[in-house]
Amino acid sequence: MFKFSFQVEAEEQPSQEKDTKSNKQNSSENEKRTETDEVYPCEELSVETVLAEARAVNPEVISNFSPSPECSIEYLNHLALLEETFTDDIVTAEQDHSDLVPNRYEGGLKVWECTFDLGKFFFESEDPKTLFCGKKVLDLGCGAGILGIEALLLGASSVHFQDYNKDVLTKTTMVNYDLNCRSEDNASVSTVKFFSGDWGCFTDNFDEKYDLILTSETIYSTGNYGKLLELFDRKLETDGITYLAAKTYYFGVGGGVRLFEEALVTDGRFQCQSVWKCDVGVKREILKISRK
């Protein structure tokens, strides 16, 4: 649902000088709010602290509710134990049936098609355990955490989950991890970390490197390609590999696999190959990206 706000001209218009002064003041105030208000701070989150506090409030909440590929706001409110509500942007997006509010909510409560594509691609490979065994993995833009959880279950030595929204991590990703992995010997707490915030901030503030970066549906906005490529460069080990699953074209928002391939060529630091394609319905692909 879209809402437009139109201003109706008043019968008496203020002078041009007064309008200019008012506009400058409003612009200055908006800039200050943008610079100082960090709605989704870049930080490392403790799964032990989050889940311990959740159980302290209601010990049965984790066991009584199992994760769902399509999490409704009603389901998620059962898990919202540390705060009275989700951030307003997530609540508004859910109520308006919106998958994306640029720079506010990036769709982390929904499991997108390409996530299933990439997870199935790994599972059906010749020897998935060899691919992940002993590897340090980043699930970038993790959402529900399906790819990172799969990596843990297939023997990764360490998995870090990163998502833009803190609420997505604390109320969905961590719960899914707890339900699926905490009983596994290869998924002790010390092997897992959770990070919230913007990709640029994550790249600058945490000195972590990975053997594998797994990411799905993260190239719909061409404006973020620079941050994404810089993250790959600084976070991948020398022989590290990124597996990126995405739609060939994202109609209405401008991004897609072809445009991202062009960005890779222009950037010059990476090479890629398409290792999987689906031409039925909405066209989707998986790219394998490595350093030149």
Side-chain angles (χ1 to χ4, degrees):
M1 182 177 71
F2 295 92
K3 295 181 180 179
F4 299 92
S5 176
F6 297 97
Q7 292 182 342
V8 179
E9 290 187 6
E11 292 182 1
E12 295 183 7
Q13 294 290 343
S15 66
Q16 183 176 359
E17 181 180 353
K18 186 175 180 180
D19 275 347
T20 302
K21 183 178 181 181
S22 176
N23 289 337
K24 287 182 178 179
Q25 288 176 339
N26 290 335
S27 177
S28 177
E29 290 174 1
N30 289 334
E31 288 176 2
K32 287 180 181 178
R33 283 196 292 270
T34 301
E35 292 172 359
T36 59
D37 292 349
E38 195 171 90
V39 180
Y40 303 115
C42 184
E43 59 182 315
E44 182 179 349
L45 307 170
S46 168
V47 63
E48 284 299 304
T49 300
V50 169
L51 294 179
E53 292 184 8
R55 291 191 181 95
V57 176
N58 185 346
E60 298 181 355
V61 69
I62 300 300
S63 59
N64 285 348
F65 295 95
S66 56
S68 164
E70 299 279 344
C71 296
S72 68
I73 202 68
E74 289 78 16
Y75 160 77
L76 290 163
N77 278 338
H78 286 293
L79 305 176
L81 302 173
L82 306 182
E83 303 171 51
E84 291 184 6
T85 60
F86 281 83
T87 54
D88 291 341
D89 299 307
I90 292 180
V91 173
T92 300
E94 177 68 20
Q95 291 173 344
D96 288 348
H97 305 290
S98 173
D99 294 325
L100 176 66
V101 181
N103 299 318
R104 310 293 289 183
Y105 168 64
E106 300 291 337
L109 298 181
K110 178 177 179 178
V111 181
W112 298 83
E113 299 93 329
C114 294
T115 299
F116 292 114
D117 293 337
L118 191 52
K120 188 176 180 182
F121 171 80
F122 291 137
F123 185 76
E124 293 180 347
S125 62
E126 291 184 6
D127 192 354
K129 289 192 174 181
T130 298
L131 176 64
F132 289 104
C133 186
K135 300 293 178 63
K136 190 170 183 178
V137 178
L138 172 64
D139 186 349
L140 184 68
C142 62
I146 288 176
L147 298 175
I149 289 170
E150 182 180 18
L152 282 168
L153 297 177
L154 289 172
S157 63
S158 176
V159 172
H160 294 175
F161 297 86
Q162 187 279 336
D163 197 87
Y164 186 72
N165 295 97
K166 178 179 178 178
D167 277 346
V168 170
L169 290 164
T170 59
K171 299 179 177 73
T172 304
T173 318
M174 289 182 179
V175 176
N176 285 346
Y177 161 70
D178 188 61
L179 287 165
N180 288 280
C181 296
R182 292 296 281 269
S183 63
E184 297 293 325
D185 293 337
N186 66 340
S188 62
V189 175
S190 61
T191 67
V192 176
K193 293 183 179 180
F194 298 83
F195 299 94
S196 67
D198 173 79
W199 288 338
C201 186
F202 172 67
T203 301
D204 290 337
N205 285 278
F206 299 102
D207 297 324
E208 307 280 357
K209 286 188 178 291
Y210 304 94
D211 302 303
L212 293 170
I213 294 178
L214 316 179
T215 190
S216 169
E217 307 273 15
T218 49
I219 59 170
Y220 52 85
S221 173
T222 57
N224 286 323
Y225 286 3
K227 288 182 182 180
L228 192 56
L229 292 172
E230 184 65 15
L231 186 153
F232 290 168
D233 188 42
R234 292 170 59 182
K235 296 297 185 184
L236 278 174
E237 295 285 2
T238 303
D239 58 350
I241 295 173
T242 294
Y243 285 95
L244 184 151
K247 295 180 176 67
T248 305
Y249 302 101
Y250 286 91
F251 298 99
V253 290
V257 172
R258 299 286 83 81
L259 286 174
F260 190 69
E261 286 175 333
E262 292 177 10
L264 286 169
V265 172
T266 301
D267 179 83
R269 289 176 285 185
F270 302 97
Q271 58 188 350
C272 76
Q273 63 178 120
S274 180
V275 294
W276 180 90
K277 289 184 178 181
C278 176
D279 292 324
V280 178
V282 177
K283 294 183 178 180
R284 309 186 304 278
E285 301 180 44
I286 295 174
L287 296 182
K288 180 180 180 181
I289 302 168
S290 59
R291 299 183 191 275
K292 285 187 175 179

